Amino acid sequence: MKHGGDLISYADYYQGELIDFSSNINPLGPPEGLKRELINSFNTLISYPDIQYRYLRKAISEYLKCNIENVIVGNGAVEIINNIIHLFKRVIIFIPSFSEYEDRARVFGKEVLKLNYLEDFSLDLENLEENMMEGDLLVLGNPNNPTGLRIEIEELKKAYEIVRAKGGFLLLDEAFFEFCPEDYDSIDIFSDEDFKGVGIIRAATKFFALPGIRLGYACISKDMVEEYKKIELPWSVNALADCAGRYIFNCKDYIDKSKRYIEAERKFLLEELSKIEGIKVYTTHTNYILIKLLNWDEEFVFYKFLKDGLVVRKCSSFDALDKSYIRVAIKDRDKNLRLIKSFKELERL
Amino acid sequence: MKHGGDLISYADYYQGELIDFSSNINPLGPPEGLKRELINSFNTLISYPDIQYRYLRKAISEYLKCNIENVIVGNGAVEIINNIIHLFKRVIIFIPSFSEYEDRARVFGKEVLKLNYLEDFSLDLENLEENMMEGDLLVLGNPNNPTGLRIEIEELKKAYEIVRAKGGFLLLDEAFFEFCPEDYDSIDIFSDEDFKGVGIIRAATKFFALPGIRLGYACISKDMVEEYKKIELPWSVNALADCAGRYIFNCKDYIDKSKRYIEAERKFLLEELSKIEGIKVYTTHTNYILIKLLNWDEEFVFYKFLKDGLVVRKCSSFDALDKSYIRVAIKDRDKNLRLIKSFKELERL
């Protein structure tokens, strides 16, 4: 199982509705009013979406506070990752990370260099500097999946320097950006450089709780936008995703409320989980938590939790992690309490 | 302008709503009840679509009368075309045809061999046989865009034989299938061969009047399904497109009504257009008509029609066609009458 969120495959194991701790979606659900907005936009389905997505890209540029000329959109963040990888010869990734970075590179027959995160899952900049070659693409999850760690601002700047010194490109996958503490925004940092040699990908998927709508977007350097346009598929964003994008980024109250909510639940869940014996809980800056199992393997824990109606993410499919890791999403208080209850039962097994 | 349907770019030229004769969509609009269905499916957006699209593929297999194991789905027909082209070394296309066949091949750096249709736009099988090489992919529009011609059943079988003799693959782009007379169904023809070496692509876009929903699907050989799965992007079909697909293929009355409607309007429009002087009207099996302008060029006619509130498709962007061709969609009676009126005015210019 390469990805979370595949509940259909486990529906037979539990009488009742499964709670999905395997995909990392805002527990508050999508912004209020979106349903009404999409109902009113039904007629957009009978035309092709604007092939240039002018209004959507404008809404995104205002949300990101960047120029519309730097904005591209795609069928989920993964399509943008895919297309940018297509444009390079060699891809450097750090592991463990989202499996699609490597998978998409393999699809195009690209050379892939895998470097290990340090033991605390921070970047190994020394190793990066030694291995970075002319024109390489470096893809970094920020925060990284499944570790939940965000790159420190100084580290990020150093990584960028290393990449630029070799005329390479730094692609930041920031699909979980809005869940993070507001200590910095990569868009601010790189707008001074006019995004030269850098791309920052985000998505409606996680924070706006819309994995079904498939809306990814990115702020990238203008010369890369040109290259990107030459290879992207036409009309890759569904017309209702286009409409949704023009609505959700203006939902300021929802955005603030979601940030506060996740911050509080993150604190609560980290504290409660830290009391459980037999697991090591990693610090997280986002809405999921990586856990090392000290006494059991992922299969045992997965099926124990499944019996309780909870689906967690087994992590051995992530390169550099073995069967002793699982990842859990941060959800609403009731569900988080059920997770803790299951962990407490596990503790006794 | 590589594609039709880009009305936003011309909105300033006409006070009032433009009528889009440039994209070839069922004038009856989507099936009744779809809006209600999508409203009821709003909550699917908060989960990832089923990564295997099990229910959707089942609905398609029942509609196509083929096995679910042969069915793949994509973000519009164009994504499936893209991915299948990715799997081959050399692509043969006949021109003029949908520009994306060549464009997608170029994106992947594939060799492209372009052969010309015969003067009546039928297949040049002799030329195909001479040029087909081991393992080539042959992509054919059936009916072809922009010519509107469907391949005769015997020609299709011969083309398949030529392709199979060289261990190649025949990809039929049948995005306009349901508009055609019901003289044959490629699915029937190739199901005897278990779809060995053949793929048949269709879409919700044109016949179900849902270009905004981005739902393409195909029936292909099982070994190709395996190859395809290795390279396709995850969750490429939006959750509401997934729901729509499970609904629309069961709308039998709508399907029948649409077929009869288009048949009648095609007959009417062909007859009326044949009375216009200064144009040559090509026979069509589908819902659009290729027209050769004998006295004007496409620019002149395009802006004359735009002044009347009509957007037609200029065709010089199609390889092998020059500035003396336009393409018009078959729409409802009122709109078709407006088209005829504009042609009658053109006649006098």
Side-chain angles (χ1 to χ4, degrees):
Chain A
M1 206 58 68
K2 256 174 35 177
H3 295 289
D6 184 23
L7 263 61
I8 296 182
S9 294
Y10 300 106
D12 291 343
Y13 287 82
Y14 182 70
Q15 309 286 15
E17 202 173 340
L18 287 169
I19 302 177
D20 183 14
F21 281 91
S22 73
S23 62
N24 309 314
I25 307 302
N26 184 341
L28 296 184
E32 217 177 304
L34 178 63
K35 186 171 178 174
R36 174 65 33 209
E37 194 69 21
L38 294 186
I39 292 171
N40 292 339
S41 307
F42 179 77
N43 276 341
T44 61
L45 291 176
I46 65 173
S47 305
Y48 278 93
D50 172 19
I51 200 163
Q52 297 182 48
Y53 295 101
R54 281 162 272 210
Y55 297 121
L56 174 61
R57 287 169 49 241
K58 183 157 187 298
I60 292 167
S61 72
E62 287 165 0
Y63 179 56
L64 297 181
K65 298 188 181 65
C66 68
N67 290 320
I68 187 171
E69 290 80 15
N70 292 102
V71 174
I72 55 172
V73 295
N75 187 27
V78 70
E79 186 183 43
I80 301 179
I81 294 168
N82 176 74
N83 289 352
I84 291 184
I85 284 174
H86 190 167
L87 294 167
F88 289 85
K89 271 200 179 144
R90 195 172 85 136
V91 183
I92 301 183
I93 60 176
F94 276 80
I95 55 172
S97 59
F98 185 45
S99 60
E100 293 292 338
Y101 306 156
E102 179 176 0
D103 291 350
R104 300 323 299 176
R106 300 285 180 209
V107 160
F108 294 117
K110 305 292 180 184
E111 201 186 322
V112 179
L113 177 68
K114 296 193 263 188
L115 304 178
N116 283 290
Y117 278 105
L118 295 172
E119 210 182 314
D120 64 353
F121 295 128
S122 66
L123 274 180
D124 186 346
L125 290 170
E126 217 168 294
N127 205 357
L128 175 66
E129 189 153 25
E130 268 170 35
N131 284 285
M132 187 86 201
M133 278 168 26
E134 206 60 34
D136 279 351
L137 170 68
L138 171 64
V139 186
L140 292 176
N142 187 36
N144 189 46
N145 179 4
T147 61
L149 265 204
R150 195 172 197 211
I151 307 169
E152 300 274 345
I153 185 164
E154 289 309 320
E155 274 186 316
L156 181 61
K157 287 178 179 172
K158 268 185 218 152
Y160 179 67
E161 270 170 37
I162 294 169
V163 169
R164 290 310 295 156
K166 290 287 171 67
F169 195 87
L170 171 61
L171 185 63
L172 297 174
D173 175 1
E174 299 199 342
F176 297 93
F177 169 75
E178 291 96 335
F179 293 116
C180 293
E182 292 179 320
D183 47 352
Y184 73 86
D185 182 341
S186 330
I187 304 277
D188 288 344
I189 296 177
F190 295 109
S191 65
D192 290 348
E193 322 275 343
D194 208 19
F195 303 100
K196 184 87 193 143
V198 73
I200 299 155
I201 299 180
R202 295 183 186 166
T205 308
K206 314 288 186 179
F207 187 74
F208 294 93
L210 293 168
I213 215 150
R214 316 307 304 131
L215 175 60
Y217 52 96
C219 180
I220 60 176
S221 60
K222 282 180 196 159
D223 52 349
M224 183 56 72
V225 170
E226 289 312 304
E227 294 306 304
Y228 191 93
K229 280 185 177 166
K230 289 180 196 159
I231 64 159
E232 72 178 336
L233 284 170
W235 315 292
S236 70
V237 173
N238 168 294
L240 292 177
D242 182 341
C243 297
R246 293 192 241 162
Y247 178 78
I248 58 177
F249 302 125
N250 285 311
C251 298
K252 295 203 177 24
D253 290 348
Y254 165 87
I255 293 169
D256 290 343
K257 187 180 166 193
S258 298
K259 287 182 176 195
R260 287 196 309 271
Y261 192 93
I262 284 295
E263 195 182 349
E265 286 307 308
R266 178 168 55 220
K267 192 164 169 284
F268 171 74
L269 201 50
L270 281 174
E271 265 179 33
E272 291 301 313
L273 288 175
S274 71
K275 299 175 194 163
I276 307 289
E277 280 183 41
I279 61 173
K280 176 181 172 179
V281 180
Y282 288 89
T283 306
T284 178
H285 297 119
T286 183
N287 66 326
Y288 51 84
I289 302 172
L290 182 68
I291 290 169
K292 186 167 170 66
L293 307 166
L294 305 176
N295 302 332
W296 318 270
D297 74 3
E298 59 176 12
E299 288 293 326
F300 178 82
V301 174
F302 181 85
Y303 284 99
K304 186 266 173 278
F305 280 55
L306 192 56
K307 248 177 34 200
D308 301 338
L310 315 181
V311 177
V312 301
R313 177 69 157 89
K314 292 183 274 186
C315 288
S316 63
S317 66
F318 286 100
D319 235 328
L321 295 186
D322 61 21
K323 282 177 170 295
S324 68
Y325 294 87
I326 61 166
R327 192 194 66 198
V328 295
I330 296 170
K331 302 188 79 76
D332 65 32
R333 182 59 59 98
D334 281 355
K335 290 175 182 157
N336 293 337
L337 285 169
R338 280 190 57 181
L339 184 72
I340 292 162
K341 184 166 173 277
S342 284
F343 268 112
K344 283 187 175 157
E345 287 171 18
L346 179 70
E347 208 176 11
R348 284 180 237 117
L349 292 182
Chain B
M1 206 59 68
K2 257 175 34 180
H3 294 289
D6 183 22
L7 263 59
I8 297 181
S9 294
Y10 300 106
D12 291 342
Y13 287 83
Y14 183 70
Q15 308 287 15
E17 204 175 337
L18 287 169
I19 302 178
D20 183 14
F21 281 92
S22 73
S23 64
N24 310 313
I25 307 302
N26 184 341
L28 296 184
E32 218 176 304
L34 177 63
K35 186 171 178 173
R36 174 65 31 209
E37 194 70 19
L38 294 187
I39 291 171
N40 292 339
S41 306
F42 179 77
N43 276 341
T44 61
L45 291 176
I46 66 173
S47 304
Y48 278 93
D50 172 19
I51 200 163
Q52 296 182 48
Y53 295 101
R54 281 162 272 210
Y55 297 120
L56 174 62
R57 287 169 48 242
K58 182 157 189 297
I60 291 167
S61 72
E62 287 165 2
Y63 179 56
L64 297 182
K65 298 186 180 65
C66 68
N67 290 321
I68 188 171
E69 290 81 16
N70 293 102
V71 175
I72 55 172
V73 295
N75 186 26
V78 70
E79 186 183 43
I80 301 178
I81 294 168
N82 177 75
N83 290 351
I84 291 184
I85 285 174
H86 190 167
L87 294 167
F88 289 85
K89 271 201 180 144
R90 195 172 84 137
V91 182
I92 301 183
I93 60 175
F94 275 82
I95 54 172
S97 59
F98 185 46
S99 59
E100 293 291 339
Y101 306 155
E102 179 176 359
D103 290 351
R104 301 322 301 175
R106 300 286 179 206
V107 160
F108 294 117
K110 304 294 180 183
E111 201 186 323
V112 179
L113 178 67
K114 296 193 264 189
L115 303 177
N116 283 290
Y117 278 104
L118 295 173
E119 211 181 313
D120 64 354
F121 295 128
S122 67
L123 273 180
D124 186 346
L125 290 170
E126 218 168 292
N127 205 358
L128 175 65
E129 188 152 26
E130 268 170 34
N131 284 285
M132 187 86 200
M133 279 168 25
E134 206 61 32
D136 279 351
L137 170 67
L138 172 63
V139 186
L140 293 176
N142 187 37
N144 189 44
N145 179 6
T147 61
L149 268 201
R150 197 173 196 209
I151 307 168
E152 301 274 347
I153 186 164
E154 288 310 320
E155 275 185 316
L156 181 60
K157 286 178 179 172
K158 268 185 218 154
Y160 180 67
E161 271 171 35
I162 293 169
V163 169
R164 290 310 296 156
K166 290 286 171 67
F169 195 87
L170 172 61
L171 184 63
L172 297 174
D173 174 2
E174 299 199 341
F176 297 93
F177 169 76
E178 291 95 335
F179 292 117
C180 293
E182 292 180 320
D183 48 351
Y184 74 87
D185 182 340
S186 330
I187 304 277
D188 288 344
I189 296 178
F190 296 109
S191 66
D192 290 348
E193 322 276 343
D194 207 20
F195 303 100
K196 184 88 193 142
V198 74
I200 298 156
I201 300 180
R202 294 181 187 169
T205 309
K206 314 288 187 180
F207 187 75
F208 294 93
L210 292 168
I213 215 150
R214 317 306 304 132
L215 176 59
Y217 52 96
C219 180
I220 60 175
S221 60
K222 282 180 197 158
D223 52 349
M224 183 57 71
V225 170
E226 289 312 304
E227 293 305 305
Y228 191 94
K229 281 184 178 166
K230 289 181 197 160
I231 64 159
E232 73 177 336
L233 284 170
W235 316 292
S236 70
V237 173
N238 168 294
L240 292 176
D242 182 342
C243 297
R246 292 192 242 162
Y247 178 77
I248 58 177
F249 301 125
N250 285 312
C251 298
K252 295 204 177 24
D253 290 347
Y254 165 88
I255 293 169
D256 290 345
K257 187 179 167 194
S258 298
K259 287 182 176 195
R260 286 197 308 274
Y261 192 93
I262 284 295
E263 194 181 352
E265 286 307 307
R266 177 166 57 218
K267 191 163 170 283
F268 171 73
L269 201 51
L270 281 173
E271 265 178 33
E272 293 300 313
L273 288 175
S274 72
K275 297 175 194 163
I276 308 290
E277 281 182 37
I279 60 172
K280 177 181 171 180
V281 180
Y282 288 88
T283 307
T284 179
H285 297 119
T286 181
N287 67 326
Y288 51 85
I289 302 173
L290 182 67
I291 290 169
K292 187 168 170 64
L293 306 166
L294 306 176
N295 302 332
W296 316 272
D297 74 1
E298 60 176 12
E299 288 293 326
F300 178 82
V301 174
F302 181 84
Y303 284 100
K304 186 264 173 284
F305 279 56
L306 191 56
K307 247 176 35 198
D308 301 339
L310 315 180
V311 178
V312 301
R313 177 70 155 89
K314 293 183 275 186
C315 288
S316 63
S317 66
F318 286 102
D319 235 329
L321 295 186
D322 61 22
K323 281 175 170 297
S324 68
Y325 293 87
I326 61 166
R327 190 194 68 198
V328 295
I330 295 170
K331 301 189 80 78
D332 65 32
R333 183 59 59 98
D334 281 354
K335 290 175 182 156
N336 293 337
L337 285 170
R338 279 190 59 181
L339 184 72
I340 292 163
K341 184 166 172 277
S342 285
F343 268 113
K344 283 187 177 158
E345 287 170 17
L346 179 70
E347 206 175 14
R348 285 181 236 118
L349 293 181

